[in-house]
C-alpha cells in the first residue's frame, strides 16, 4: 500500500502542491483526477522523489520513502509511466527494457514476461525508441515500468493521444496488473475510462486533494465527476 | 623533397595531431553530451596530465618506458579524480546551471594554472619518450625499369609517433565499446537522453555525472601523457588544446562522438598539411573560418542532431 499524507512541493520557489493526501491499495485501481494544471503530474513526480517535498510523508508498506534519494525510490518497487512517455529516445527497445530490468536486478524471466505482454515490442527490439509509433512508444513506456516487477504502478494519462484499439490494449494490461495484485495509481481524463476502471478516485483541485470517492459512489452520483472535472 | 613524399610526411604529422586532439575533444564532447556542461577548464586537465606525467617519470629510475607506463596509468587517474571531486564540490552545487557552470569552470581553470605555476614553476620541461627509433619511409617512383621503391632523404617518422596514432585509435575504440556495449555505457546514455526519467529507473544521476566529468578530464590527461614526449610540459599549455577541442566539437556536432572523431581528423590533417606547406598560423585561421562556416550553414555540426 502506497500512502501519501499532506504533501507540499513545488518547482523552485513556486509551490504547486499545497496539501495532497492519497492512498493506493494493492489489487485496486486508484484514479487521480483533476482539471488541467491541478497538479496530477506533479503529485506523481513528488511520489517518485523527483520534486523535493517541503513537508509531508510518503510510505510504501510502512517504509518511509520521502527521505530517500530519488533513484532509490523505484528500487523499493514503484514503476512509473510518465506523462508524454518520456522514453530514452536514442536507446533501442532492447536497451530500454534492459534499463528497466537493471533497476531492481530483474532477469530473463521478467524480460520474457514483459515481451509476451507486448509482442509488438519483440518484433522491434533493435529499433530506436524515438522512431516507434505513438502506440508502440506507450507500450514501451509501460513495459519499461513493468520490468521492475513493481508493487505499485503509477500511470500518467497512458492513453493520451492513442487510437481506440491501442487504448483497449493499455486498459487490458492495466486491469490485468490490478488483478495480479498490483496497486495502481492512474491519472485519467476520460469519463468512460474512469467509470470502467476506478475502484476509488481522488480528486485534486489546485494542488489540494479535496475528496475521495469509491466506485459505488462514482456510479451512483454521475454529477460528482461532472462537477469536479468541470465537463 | 618532392611533392608526394612531402605530402605523406605532412599527413603523418597531421595524424599525430589528430590523434591527440580526438582524445581531448572526445572528453569535452562526452561531458557536454551527457551533462550539458561546457567545461572551460578542459584544457587544464590536459595541462595537469602533462605536468603529472613529467613528475611521475622523474620519480622512477631506469628505462624511460617504465616511467612512461606509470605516468600513463596514474596521471589520467589523478586528473580524473580531481575532476570528479570538483564536480561534486562545485558543479553539483550550481545545479549544472549552464551560465554558472561556465563561470565556475573558468575559476577552476585559473586555480589549476596558478597552482601549477607555484609548484611546477614557469619552465617547460621535457619527458623522454619510451622508445624513439627513426623509421625511414619508402616511396614509389617510376623509373626505366617500371615502379621501384626507394627511400627519399628526409622522409621518416619516429616509432613513438606511430605508437601515438595506434594508441589513440585503440583508446577511441575502447571508449566506443564501453559506451555502446556495456551497462555503464547504457546508464550514461539513458542519463544523457532524460536525466529525470533516468532517476525514476534507479539510475544515480549524480554519480553518473561525477564519473563522466572524471572520464572527460582523464581522456584529456591521457592525450597529454601521449604528447609530452613530443611537446614539453608547461603550465600554459592548456589553451591551444581547449580552443582546438571546441573547434572540433562544434564542427563535429555537440555531443556526437563519431562527429568528434571525424572533425578531429579533419582539423588535425589540415593543420598538419597546411603547416608543412604554408604556415601554422594559416592552419589556425582556416580552422577558425571553418567553425564560422559550420555555425552559419550547419549550426548543429556535421553529425549533430538538429534539435536537442
Ligand atoms: N517544470 C515546471 N516548472 C514550473 N511550474 C510547473 C512545472 N511543471 C508544472 N508546473 C506547474 O504546476 C502546476 C501543476 O502542473 P501539473 O503538470 O502537475 O498539472 P496536471 O494536473 O498534470 O495537468 P494536465 O492535466 O495538463 O497534465 C501547473 O500550474 C503548472 O504550470
Ligand atoms: Mg499532467
Amino acid at each position: 500500500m502506497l500512502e501519501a499524507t499532506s504533501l507540499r512541493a513545488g518547482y523552485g520557489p513556486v509551490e504547486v502542491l499545497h496539501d495532497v493526501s492519497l492512498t493506493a491499495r494493492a489489487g485496486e485501481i486508484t484514479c487521480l483526477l483533476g482539471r488541467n494544471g491541478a497538479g496530477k503530474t506533479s503529485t506523481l513526480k513528488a511520489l517518485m522523489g523527483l520534486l523535493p517535498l517541503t513537508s509531508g510523508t510518503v510510505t510504501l508498506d510502512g517504509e518511509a520513502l520521502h527521505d530517500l534519494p530519488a533513484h532509490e525510490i523505484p528500487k523499493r518497487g514503484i514503476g512509473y509511466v510518465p506523462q508524454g512517455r518520456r522514453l530514452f529516445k536514442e536507446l533501442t527497445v532492447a536497451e530500454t527494457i534492459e534499463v528497466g530490468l537493471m533497476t531492481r536486478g530483474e532477469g530473463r524471466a521478467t524480460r520474457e514476461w514483459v515481451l509476451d505482454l507486448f509482442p509488438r515490442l519483440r518484433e522491434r527490439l533493435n529499433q530506436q525508441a524515438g522512431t516507434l509509433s505513438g502506440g508502440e512508444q506507450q507500450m514501451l513506456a509501460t513495459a519499461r515500468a513493468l520490468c521492475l516487477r513493481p508493487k505499485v504502478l503509477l500511470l500518467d494519462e497512458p492513453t493520451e493521444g492513442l487510437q481506440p484499439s491501442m487504448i483497449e490494449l493499455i486498459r487490458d494490461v492495466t486491469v490485468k496488473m490490478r488483478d495480479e495484485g498490483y496497486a495502481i495509481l492512474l491519472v485519467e481524463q476520460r469519463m468512460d475510462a474512469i467509470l470502467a476502471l476506478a475502484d476509488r478516485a481522488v480528486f485534486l483541485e489546485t494542488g489540494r486533494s479535496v475528496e475521495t470517492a469509491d466506485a459505488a459512489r462514482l456510479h451512483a452520483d454521475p454529477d460528482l465527476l461532472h462537477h469536479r472535472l468541470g465537463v | 623533397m618532392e611533392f608526394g613524399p612531402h605530402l605523406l610526411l605532412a599527413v603523418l604529422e597531421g595524424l599525430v595531431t589528430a590523434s591527440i586532439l580526438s582524445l581531448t575533444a572526445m572528453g569535452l564532447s562526452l561531458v557536454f553530451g551527457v551533462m550539458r556542461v561546457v567545461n572551460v577548464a578542459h584544457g587544464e586537465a590536459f595541462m595537469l596530465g602533462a605536468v603529472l606525467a613529467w613528475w611521475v617519470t622523474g620519480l622512477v629510475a631506469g628505462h624511460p618506458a617504465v616511467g612512461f607506463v606509470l605516468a600513463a596509468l596514474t596521471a589520467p587517474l589523478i586528473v580524473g579524480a580531481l575532476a570528479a571531486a570538483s564536480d561534486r564540490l562545485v558543479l553539483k552545487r550550481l545545479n549544472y546551471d549552464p551560465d554558472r557552470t561556465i563561470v565556475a569552470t573558468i575559476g577552476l581553470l585559473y586555480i589549476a594554472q596558478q597552482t601549477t605555476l607555484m609548484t611546477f614553476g614557469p619552465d617547460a620541461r621535457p619527458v623522454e619518450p619510451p622508445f624513439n627509433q627513426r623509421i625511414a619511409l619508402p616511396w614509389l617512383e617510376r623509373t626505366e625499369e617500371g615502379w621501384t621503391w626507394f627511400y627519399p632523404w628526409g622522409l621518416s617518422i619516429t616509432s613513438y609517433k606511430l605508437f601515438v596514432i595506434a594508441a589513440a585509435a585503440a583508446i577511441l575504440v575502447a571508449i566506443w565499446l564501453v559506451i555502446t556495449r556495456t551497462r555503464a555505457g547504457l546508464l550514461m546514455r539513458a542519463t544523457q537522453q532524460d536525466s529525470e526519467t533516468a532517476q525514476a529507473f534507479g539510475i544515480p544521476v549524480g554519480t553518473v555525472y561525477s564519473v563522466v566529468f572524471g572520464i572527460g578530464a582523464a581522456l584529456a590527461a591521457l592525450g597529454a601523457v601521449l604528447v609530452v614526449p613530443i611537446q614539453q610540459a608547461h603550465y600554459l599549455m592548456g589553451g591551444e588544446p581547449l580552443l582546438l577541442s571546441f573547434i572540433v566539437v562544434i564542427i563535429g556536432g555537440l555531443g556526437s562522438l563519431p562527429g568528434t572523431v571525424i572533425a578531429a581528423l579533419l582539423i588535425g590533417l589540415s593543420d598538419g598539411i597546411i603547416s608543412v606547406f604554408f604556415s601554422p598560423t594559416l592552419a589556425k585561421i582556416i580552422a577558425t573560418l571553418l567553425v564560422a562556416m559550420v555555425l552559419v550553414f550547419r549550426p548543429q555540426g556535421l553529425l549533430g542532431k538538429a534539435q536537442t
Side-chain angles (χ1 to χ4, degrees), chain A residues 17-171:
Chain A
L17 301 182
H18 309 296
D19 180 11
V20 176
S21 300
L22 59 86
T23 304
R25 291 179 180 78
E28 281 189 7
I29 295 177
T30 307
C31 277
L32 185 59
L33 308 175
R35 299 172 200 215
N36 291 128
K40 304 179 295 292
T41 299
S42 303
T43 300
L44 297 196
K45 281 190 181 178
L47 295 175
M48 292 305 295
L50 301 173
L51 270 192
L53 296 180
T54 42
S55 70
T57 60
V58 181
T59 60
L60 177 61
D61 296 336
E63 190 195 3
L65 299 184
H66 51 265
D67 38 37
L68 292 177
H71 70 270
E72 287 293 335
I73 291 175
K75 296 184 186 177
R76 298 301 186 275
I78 306 187
Y80 180 34
V81 182
Q83 186 167 24
R85 307 170 193 122
R86 302 285 294 267
L87 293 173
F88 306 116
K89 292 205 174 63
E90 288 176 25
L91 300 196
T92 63
V93 170
E95 287 172 333
T96 306
I97 287 180
E98 179 72 21
V99 169
L101 293 172
M102 275 158 71
T103 312
R104 298 185 81 201
E106 291 293 327
R108 288 198 71 83
T110 301
R111 186 174 192 271
E112 291 307 307
W113 171 67
V114 165
L115 290 175
D116 287 341
L117 279 175
F118 299 106
R120 279 275 273 281
L121 295 179
R122 197 191 285 282
E123 298 159 17
R124 296 184 152 65
L125 284 173
N126 293 317
Q127 192 173 333
Q128 279 196 355
T131 64
L132 295 171
S133 77
E136 290 160 355
Q137 291 197 8
Q138 191 61 51
M139 291 183 202
L140 184 56
T142 312
R144 180 176 64 176
L146 290 176
C147 281
L148 278 67
R149 292 265 187 184
K151 298 179 206 161
V152 183
L153 201 53
L154 310 183
L155 298 160
D156 198 344
E157 305 205 25
T159 55
E160 204 179 16
L162 298 186
Q163 66 183 53
S165 67
M166 204 57 79
I167 293 178
E168 189 113 358
L169 177 77
I170 299 288
R171 188 191 287 188

Side-chain angles (χ1 to χ4, degrees), chain B residues 79-104:
Chain B
V79 173
L82 283 173
S86 32
D87 170 70
R88 278 287 157 94
L89 293 175
V90 183
L91 302 184
K92 186 179 180 169
R93 279 157 213 264
L94 302 176
N95 284 321
Y96 302 98
D97 173 83
D99 302 336
R100 292 193 291 165
T101 48
I102 289 182
V103 178

Side-chain angles (χ1 to χ4, degrees), chain A residues 2-17:
Chain A
L2 180 73
E3 199 166 11
T5 48
S6 317
L7 301 183
R8 293 171 72 123
Y11 299 89
V14 188
E15 189 177 277
V16 298
L17 301 182

